[in-house]
Amino acid sequence: MFKILVWLAGTMVMTGTVIAQGKVEIDTSTWSTQPGVIGTVLLSVLVLVVLAYLMVVRLNKLMNVSEKVKWTNEREDLKSDLINLEREEVDELLERRKKAGLYRLRGNEIGGELNFKDEKGLIRKITKSPHNPLVDDKKSGKLKVETDDRLIRLIIAYVVAAAFWLIFGTLIGQYLGMKFVWPEMDQQPWLSFGRLRPVHTNTVFWGWASLGMLGLGYFVVSRTSNRSIFSYKLGWWTFYLINACVVLGNIALMNGLNNGGGEYREYIWPVMLLFAIGLILALINIYKTISLRNTVEIYISNWFILAALTWTTVLAIIGYLPFYQEGLGETVIQGYYMHQGVGMWFMTFTLGLVYYYLPASLNKPIYSYSLGVLAFWTQMLFYTLIGTHHFVFSPLPWWLQTVAIVFSAGMFIPVLAGTTNFMMTMKGSRKAIEDSYVLPFMLVGVIFYFVGSTQGSFQAFRFTNYIWHFTDFNVAHSHMTMYGIICFFLWGGMYSLLPKLTRKEPNQLAVGMHFWFAFIGLVIYMFSLMIGGTEKGMSWVDGQPFIDSVRLMAPYWLWRAVGGSLMFISHLVFGYNLYQMVNGYRIGRKRNTKIVKVKKDEYARFS
């Protein structure tokens, strides 16, 4: 199977590419028939279909609400009519109502052994298994979770700090997006694009996403291990070190002090060392918690979380080794660092969270443990060698570029395995998704996990790389993955967990505003830059002056600012919702949680 995959990937990546005497020639006349382009278009249509579906569902619920209001008005009219009735008429109505209230069904009115006749077409569905979990409509209950107060405080601290960095980091991003429309809006060196752009990316990477993942991860590890966290002190040390890293790193960047041209590793090494130490402490803490678990098996979430911490610890060290900071070796390490940071830290850790919070929100087990194991090991295999696809047609060895492209195609396996697992877990839960403010975030995260990851594999092909590299299309892709996948999954986890811990529910209208502003804003943002990036790349291929590509991007940058504004507003609403969920939380008495050992042939449902 692996040989077939390599052959297929090689055929696809070489389509439209001619190699003659060491010179690469690209035939752009067939660009619309290239596999990568066709695949990207189909995936984009899928996003629009999901957006339309969710909007129809919500509009339908609004119509149902209006019908309920109409029914209420009719009931009030009936009350006013009753007031005008004579006493005898009222007594007669009450007697008939009393008889109707005393009537009881015998249980066999709509069932039995006889053949049925539905002459009026009233029966919509017949089933012999009304409680089948695959088709039964469920509505999640408001389950309260008894949790150690020390863990609750730790989680709240991580999530609140993460939300602060999200708002701060995207405020910088919003400002940068506006500078594309009004480039002369400031003259200060510390507000220049070159200084603020890494502040934006590093803040949302190491501040928002990393702290958010760790906060949610501590609960998952504790819950699935059926024991308390090994050391809360280590958890707090990790919290302080990562926050210190982001604060000091941003101050250095805004003063022009950075690590050079390495994307996502602009923090200088003494600052990033704080993050690495915090990461090692988190790895020790979580590893010891799992190793001392009170269950026999290690739940699949913990596989992903431990792998993410292990890989990223190695990554943070390799990315800053001094003998890898020069020449083409630095370029290879940059591709490795950049893609491992996204794939083996954010993606791997977040997938571990999804394997817990998605089934917990649906109150049903994950569809297939085996698919989870397949997704895990193929992710470990393929994701580790794809970083060089960012440097196709560079002076790096051609074979190294080809390996990266082939392994990018290999990523279809873990993505399809994970997406299938998540979608099959949600199968039969449409009503729960409609009635929940958590599950829509999870659904959008799953869709973007499939769309963003698959589109990234298509973009690695040589032809699509030739058209889209160095254009705004890459910015669209990065937001499709880091925002569409990571952010939506984290929000879903936070809205799922915090009300159970603090006993405080957010305002559902505000949660809906958060969801729709973020989703619609992201769609506007990514489509504007995908279309504009394609036009820019084609103008370069046609040999047009560079300034022409700048001019043609002007309307797309305006739409980028519109989409970014909606996304930023959603973050402010999220901050308000978070405040509602954690404000006023008081530490209660220490709860004695009973520890139950689960035998190998038994199953435990974690809530």
Side-chain angles (χ1 to χ4, degrees):
M1 180 179 178
F2 183 72
K3 291 181 178 179
I4 296 175
L5 175 65
V6 172
W7 173 83
L8 178 62
T11 302
M12 297 177 73
V13 300
M14 294 303 296
T15 303
T17 306
V18 179
I19 308 174
Q21 298 179 351
K23 182 179 179 181
V24 179
E25 298 179 0
I26 300 292
D27 181 13
T28 57
S29 62
T30 60
W31 70 272
S32 60
T33 61
Q34 294 297 317
V37 175
I38 295 173
T40 298
V41 171
L42 293 177
L43 291 170
S44 302
V45 171
L46 177 60
V47 172
L48 294 178
V49 169
V50 173
L51 175 62
Y53 166 75
L54 290 174
M55 293 185 72
V56 169
V57 168
R58 290 304 170 187
L59 288 174
N60 185 51
K61 287 189 72 69
L62 286 175
M63 293 176 64
N64 291 337
V65 170
S66 65
E67 288 292 328
K68 186 176 180 180
V69 171
K70 181 180 177 181
W71 178 81
T72 302
N73 293 335
E74 291 176 351
R75 187 176 62 178
E76 294 297 326
D77 293 339
L78 178 61
K79 286 182 179 179
S80 63
D81 292 339
L82 289 174
I83 294 175
N84 300 321
L85 292 176
E86 297 294 334
R87 182 179 182 85
E88 293 77 10
E89 294 176 315
V90 174
D91 290 341
E92 182 181 354
L93 286 174
L94 289 176
E95 185 65 26
R96 282 156 53 183
R97 182 68 185 88
K98 181 179 179 181
K99 291 180 179 179
L102 293 174
Y103 179 78
R104 293 292 181 268
L105 292 173
R106 291 171 294 176
N108 60 354
E109 285 80 3
I110 56 175
E113 301 296 329
L114 300 176
N115 294 330
F116 70 91
K117 286 186 178 181
D118 185 22
E119 296 178 349
K120 296 184 178 181
L122 300 176
I123 299 177
R124 185 178 66 178
K125 179 181 177 182
I126 298 174
T127 179
K128 294 184 179 179
S129 55
H131 300 292
N132 188 321
L134 291 178
V135 297
D136 188 29
D137 292 332
K138 296 182 179 181
K139 184 174 182 179
S140 300
K142 296 181 179 180
L143 181 65
K144 307 302 181 185
V145 179
E146 291 295 326
T147 307
D148 192 336
D149 283 317
R150 294 174 298 172
L151 179 58
I152 296 178
R153 283 193 299 158
L154 187 66
I155 293 171
I156 291 177
Y158 272 84
V159 173
V160 169
F164 169 79
W165 290 123
L166 171 67
I167 294 173
F168 174 78
T170 52
L171 174 64
I172 300 297
Q174 172 70 8
Y175 185 74
L176 293 173
M178 294 170 63
K179 294 189 76 168
F180 278 95
V181 183
W182 301 289
E184 303 299 329
M185 62 189 301
D186 67 68
Q187 303 294 329
Q188 300 297 324
W190 59 278
L191 292 177
S192 63
F193 187 90
R195 295 191 186 183
L196 287 185
R197 199 266 177 175
V199 171
H200 163 64
T201 54
N202 284 275
T203 298
V204 295
F205 270 38
W206 315 125
W208 150 244
S210 297
L211 288 172
M213 293 187 313
L214 286 168
L216 295 175
Y218 279 124
F219 180 83
V220 172
V221 171
S222 173
R223 199 72 176 173
T224 56
S225 299
N226 206 18
R227 59 152 292 137
S228 60
I229 292 296
F230 172 71
S231 172
Y232 289 103
K233 183 178 293 185
L234 288 179
W236 283 107
W237 270 107
T238 299
F239 173 80
Y240 295 132
L241 287 169
I242 292 179
N243 278 287
C245 167
V246 178
V247 171
L248 296 176
N250 287 341
I251 292 174
L253 289 176
M254 296 183 78
N255 283 279
L257 185 61
N258 59 66
N259 190 49
E263 191 174 20
Y264 310 143
R265 53 175 177 154
E266 290 91 351
Y267 286 170
I268 57 176
W269 73 263
V271 171
M272 202 60 187
L273 181 62
L274 299 177
F275 184 87
I277 295 173
L279 212 61
I280 293 172
L281 296 180
L283 173 59
I284 295 171
N285 203 7
I286 289 177
Y287 172 79
K288 292 293 291 183
T289 302
I290 296 173
S291 66
L292 298 174
R293 66 191 181 279
N294 289 303
T295 59
V296 175
E297 305 293 339
I298 300 177
Y299 186 61
I300 188 66
S301 290
N302 296 331
W303 290 39
F304 282 88
I305 291 172
L306 277 178
L309 287 165
T310 304
W311 274 107
T312 311
T313 301
V314 175
L315 175 69
I317 296 172
I318 292 179
Y320 279 83
L321 290 176
F323 44 81
Y324 284 144
Q325 306 303 316
E326 297 178 357
L328 289 178
E330 192 272 343
T331 303
V332 175
I333 293 300
Q334 172 57 28
Y336 172 78
Y337 179 90
M338 179 169 51
H339 231 294
Q340 298 310 293
V342 174
M344 301 304 291
W345 174 231
F346 298 112
M347 191 68 72
T348 302
F349 200 112
T350 302
L351 288 175
L353 299 178
V354 177
Y355 274 100
Y356 176 85
Y357 287 107
L358 177 60
S361 300
L362 289 166
N363 195 28
K364 62 166 69 171
I366 196 72
Y367 171 73
S368 172
Y369 205 89
S370 298
L371 275 177
V373 174
L374 173 65
F376 173 81
W377 286 113
T378 49
Q379 173 117 346
M380 298 300 104
L381 171 64
F382 290 114
Y383 220 124
T384 53
L385 287 173
I386 66 178
T388 312
H389 73 208
H390 286 273
F391 303 105
V392 176
F393 304 119
S394 71
L396 295 179
W398 189 262
W399 67 264
L400 185 59
Q401 300 175 35
T402 303
V403 167
I405 298 171
V406 171
F407 273 65
S408 298
M411 279 299 298
F412 289 139
I413 298 175
V415 171
L416 288 173
T419 303
T420 301
N421 215 358
F422 299 146
M423 294 303 292
M424 291 302 292
T425 302
M426 288 188 284
K427 183 180 178 181
S429 302
R430 176 182 172 182
K431 188 67 166 61
I433 295 174
E434 292 177 359
D435 293 338
S436 170
Y437 56 72
V438 172
L439 293 173
F441 285 95
M442 291 293 186
L443 176 61
V444 171
V446 171
I447 296 301
F448 271 106
Y449 172 57
F450 174 72
V451 171
S453 301
T454 306
Q455 192 278 320
S457 295
F458 285 139
Q459 192 170 337
F461 298 163
R462 283 198 168 91
F463 180 87
T464 48
N465 214 290
Y466 183 73
I467 298 296
W468 289 330
H469 200 44
F470 300 120
T471 72
D472 296 67
F473 197 103
N474 293 294
V475 182
H477 171 72
S478 64
H479 284 76
M480 194 188 309
T481 51
M482 278 300 298
Y483 196 89
I485 304 172
I486 307 302
C487 289
F488 274 85
F489 277 148
L490 290 181
W491 287 325
M494 291 173 184
Y495 283 128
S496 172
L497 177 62
L498 289 177
K500 297 175 183 177
L501 299 181
T502 64
R503 278 64 167 171
K504 292 178 176 291
E505 296 280 345
N507 182 278
Q508 293 201 22
L509 177 61
V511 177
M513 290 177 58
H514 174 200
F515 174 80
W516 286 111
F517 274 79
F519 191 12
I520 295 175
L522 175 59
V523 170
I524 295 174
Y525 188 100
M526 61 179 255
F527 271 94
S528 62
L529 293 186
M530 287 168 68
I531 297 171
T534 302
E535 289 192 18
K536 176 187 281 189
M538 295 300 291
S539 73
W540 292 348
V541 171
D542 293 338
Q544 297 178 14
F546 178 80
I547 192 62
D548 289 352
S549 68
V550 177
R551 294 192 185 98
L552 72 84
M553 282 300 300
Y556 299 109
W557 284 334
L558 177 60
W559 280 107
R560 165 190 172 143
V562 171
S565 298
L566 293 176
M567 293 154 69
F568 179 67
I569 292 172
S570 77
H571 304 160
L572 297 177
V573 178
F574 167 64
Y576 169 76
N577 293 337
L578 180 62
Y579 174 79
Q580 281 195 317
M581 289 187 286
V582 303
N583 180 44
Y585 173 75
R586 294 292 182 267
I587 304 171
R589 59 183 178 81
K590 186 176 180 180
R591 303 180 179 93
N592 295 320
T593 304
K594 185 178 179 181
I595 303 298
V596 180
K597 292 189 176 182
V598 181
K599 298 180 181 179
K600 189 173 184 179
D601 57 345
E602 296 178 338
Y603 296 88
R605 173 172 289 176
F606 299 104
S607 56

